[in-house]
């Protein structure tokens, strides 16, 4: 049986004249059927927030000097950080695949006078950018370039 | 507060959208090297020694990339956690939850700007 949703979650900003049934959460929510990917996609928000905070920590350490930088980089060798970054890599790839599948469907019918490119072309462009930038970043950060 | 959040919604959505798009494109290589390959010793630590890391981070493109990697994921994270909080807990505390999460993202973004400017 579907559980009751919070009535304000999907309510109109002003009460209308027509009586409506209170909204109910679908029985599949949160982890069955299509809701599994939906919920996991939202849950990656926690991973992204932590990744942003860790990158911020590194940026501040880089600005603070060699000792702070080396200490921050050394802390990343802790098993908890390694486990988190492994989970983060899976999460980022999951978000990319899901979002890049959604992106062509979210295009407006017209962009100015032009129609947007066909969906496969948009998708190919996104994947090319993703793979290209990732490869370039890996080469630069790992010391292969520059 | 609710009214302010509604007025800021276009800016929040812009940063959230870029957090998914640019954040994801940049984070894949970043997490792989900085979070896994260097700590595991697959890539030598000298590749991201202070001198080299500072040289990479201090040039204009490096500053922009570092800023994007630090700031944009905060907005993607904040917005999706807000959405998760509404789905699981209802909307009655949304103004409080949203203010806290976007507050973290905003303060984090300002700190990231300050950090990359001081490189």
């Amino acid at each position: 049986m579907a559980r009751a949703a919070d009535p304000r979650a999907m309510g109109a900003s002003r009460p209308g004249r027509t009586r409506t049934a209170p909204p109910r959460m679908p029985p599949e929510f949160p982890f069955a059927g299509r809701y599994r990917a939906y919920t996991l996609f939202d849950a990656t928000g926690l991973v992204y927030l932590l990744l942003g905070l860790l990158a911020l920590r590194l940026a501040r350490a880089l600005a603070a000097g060699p000792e702070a930088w080396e200490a921050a980089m050394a802390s990343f060798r802790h098993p908890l950080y390694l486990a988190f970054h492994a989970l983060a890599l899976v999460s980022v790839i999951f978000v990319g695949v899901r979002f890049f599948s959604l992106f062509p469907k979210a295009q407006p019918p017209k962009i100015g006078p032009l129609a947007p490119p066909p969906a496969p072309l948009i998708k190919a462009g996104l994947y090319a950018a993703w793979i290209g930038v990732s490869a370039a970043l890996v080469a630069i950060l790992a010391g292969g370039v520059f | 507060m609710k009214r302010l959040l509604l007025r800021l919604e276009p800016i929040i959505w812009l940063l959230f959208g870029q957090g998914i798009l640019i954040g994801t494109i940049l984070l894949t290589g970043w997490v792989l090297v900085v979070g896994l390959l260097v700590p595991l010793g697959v890539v030598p630590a000298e590749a991201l020694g202070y001198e080299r890391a500072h040289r990479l981070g201090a040039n204009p493109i490096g500053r922009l990339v570092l800023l994007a990697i630090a700031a944009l994921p905060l907005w993607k994270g904040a917005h999706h956690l807000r959405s998760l909080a509404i789905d699981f807990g209802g909307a009655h505390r949304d103004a409080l939850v949203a203010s806290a999460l976007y507050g973290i993202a905003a303060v984090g973004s300002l700190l990231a700007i300050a950090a990359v400017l001081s490189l």
Side-chain angles (χ1 to χ4, degrees):
Chain A
M1 187 63 190
R3 72 173 170 84
D6 187 297
R8 285 158 293 197
M10 291 173 271
S13 55
R14 286 181 201 158
R17 287 183 180 178
T18 310
R19 289 190 306 127
T20 52
R24 304 190 73 78
M25 296 301 275
E28 293 86 9
F29 182 83
F31 291 117
R34 293 182 174 195
Y35 277 93
R36 186 182 303 124
Y38 166 82
T39 305
L40 286 175
F41 190 62
D42 272 6
T44 58
L46 180 61
V47 175
Y48 271 65
L49 192 75
L50 293 174
L51 279 176
L53 292 174
L54 285 176
L56 172 63
R57 181 185 163 211
L58 279 186
R60 286 169 61 82
L62 193 60
E67 282 179 16
W69 173 258
E70 298 300 341
M73 286 303 289
S75 71
F76 280 10
R77 288 197 287 269
H78 192 281
L80 274 178
Y81 275 116
L82 288 170
F84 169 71
H85 280 119
L87 170 73
L89 186 62
V90 174
S91 300
V92 168
I93 292 170
F94 169 67
V95 168
V97 170
R98 188 169 160 84
F99 182 69
F100 294 161
S101 302
L102 173 76
F103 197 86
K105 296 174 192 166
Q107 295 306 303
K110 290 268 183 189
I111 303 172
L114 303 169
L121 202 63
I122 297 177
K123 215 167 163 177
L126 288 169
Y127 272 94
W130 191 15
I131 292 166
V133 170
S134 298
L137 208 55
V138 167
I140 292 168
L141 292 174
V145 191
F146 300 119
Chain B
M1 183 52 73
K2 194 84 184 164
R3 193 169 294 173
L4 177 66
L5 285 170
L6 283 172
R7 293 185 89 169
L8 291 174
E9 198 156 289
I11 298 168
I12 291 168
W13 264 85
L14 175 73
L15 293 166
F16 157 66
Q18 297 316 306
I20 297 190
L21 184 64
I22 298 176
T24 298
I25 284 175
L26 291 175
L27 279 174
T28 312
W30 171 267
V31 171
L32 188 62
V33 178
V34 178
L36 292 170
L37 297 182
V38 170
L40 287 171
V42 178
V43 167
E46 300 79 62
L48 284 180
Y50 179 76
E51 294 296 329
R52 185 167 187 273
H54 192 271
R55 202 175 68 241
L56 288 174
N59 83 54
I61 296 173
R63 281 176 209 251
L64 271 180
V65 170
L66 195 53
L67 177 61
I69 287 173
L72 293 176
L74 296 175
W75 292 95
K76 187 274 187 208
H79 194 72
H80 267 161
L81 286 179
R82 177 191 182 190
S83 166
L84 209 61
I86 292 173
D87 282 348
F88 279 92
H92 55 286
R93 257 180 261 139
D94 180 46
L96 183 69
V97 171
S99 307
L101 289 168
Y102 294 142
I104 291 171
V107 171
S109 301
L110 291 175
L111 289 174
I113 291 169
V116 298
L117 287 177
S118 62
L119 286 175

